[in-house]
């Protein structure tokens, strides 16, 4: 079983794999309403090349960031979280993609890649001064959904 590492970019050579993950993911039907809602609110994600690296850009979010889960054996992106700082205290994950093999029912589902990816986003945003909460838009797009909060004594 290969290891997973987290990076802020993907090599240009992995563009087809990133397109498959972000746009042609077989698991999208599970959250299609949430995806449509996020695209309507924030804009559609686009893959952009920055020299020899690929990143995700969202037209409605100029300061958007991405975190990719990379299979170390193949270099293939198997997960992505696209997030932005909505205000001084809040970071919102606006798009998420997980390869089918890691999704519920997949052969590597027990590795809990989605949870690990979101934990890594939370860990990286803790270093940003003032950030106190992280929302997963697919879960919080509705106002009644709970919000993930950092413990009171720990700033995100």
């Amino acid at each position: 079983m290969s290891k997973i590492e987290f990076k802020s970019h993907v090599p240009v050579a992995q563009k087809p794999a990133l397109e498959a993950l972000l746009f042609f993911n077989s698991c999208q039907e599970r959250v299609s309403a949430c995806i449509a809602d996020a695209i309507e609110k924030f804009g559609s994600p686009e893959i952009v090349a920055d020299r020899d690296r690929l990143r995700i850009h969202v037209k409605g979010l100029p300061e958007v960031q991405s975190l990719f889960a990379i299979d170390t054996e193949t270099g293939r992106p198997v997960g992505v979280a696209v997030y932005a700082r909505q205000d001084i205290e809040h970071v919102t994950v606006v798009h998420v993609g997980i390869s089918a093999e890691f999704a519920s029912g997949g052969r590597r589902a027990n590795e809990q890649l989605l949870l690990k990816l979101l934990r890594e986003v939370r860990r990286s945003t803790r270093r940003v001064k003032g950030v106190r909460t992280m929302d997963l838009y697919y879960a919080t797009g509705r106002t009644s959904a709970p919000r993930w909060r950092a413990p009171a004594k720990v700033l995100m």
Side-chain angles (χ1 to χ4, degrees):
M1 197 171 305
S2 57
K3 288 186 170 186
I4 302 297
E5 64 182 355
F6 298 98
K7 293 186 172 186
S8 62
H9 62 276
V10 174
V12 169
Q14 293 293 335
K15 187 173 184 181
L18 183 55
E19 288 173 337
L21 178 65
L22 196 60
F23 303 122
F24 306 109
N25 191 322
S26 62
C27 298
Q28 287 177 334
E29 65 188 41
R30 298 177 188 181
V31 290
S32 60
C34 295
I35 292 170
D37 194 39
I39 289 172
E40 185 176 314
K41 181 169 180 147
F42 303 109
S44 181
E46 301 172 22
I47 298 171
V48 294
D50 181 11
R51 294 182 291 269
D52 60 341
R53 299 174 173 185
L54 297 174
R55 299 185 185 276
I56 306 298
H57 173 75
V58 178
K59 193 173 188 176
L61 295 170
E63 298 296 320
V64 73
Q65 295 181 15
S66 303
L67 186 65
F68 301 95
I70 308 292
D71 181 315
T72 57
E73 197 171 280
T74 64
R76 178 175 66 97
V78 293
V80 61
V82 181
Y83 58 99
R85 190 170 183 179
Q86 293 295 297
D87 58 42
I88 197 148
E89 292 187 345
H90 304 95
V91 169
T92 301
V93 179
V94 298
H95 293 290
V96 176
I98 300 292
S99 291
E101 69 209 73
F102 291 95
S104 178
R107 64 181 171 82
R108 294 178 71 180
N110 63 332
E111 293 182 46
Q112 300 182 328
L113 182 60
L114 177 60
L115 181 60
K116 290 176 182 176
L117 180 62
L118 293 175
R119 281 183 181 157
E120 190 66 21
V121 170
R122 190 170 91 180
R123 187 185 69 75
S124 69
T125 59
R126 280 186 178 154
R127 295 185 292 240
V128 179
K129 185 176 180 173
V131 174
R132 299 186 58 79
T133 63
M134 182 181 89
D135 298 328
L136 176 59
Y137 186 78
Y138 290 0
T140 60
R142 315 280 183 264
T143 55
S144 61
R147 197 178 243 180
W148 291 12
R149 294 205 182 270
K153 65 181 182 176
V154 178
L155 290 176
M156 298 265 315

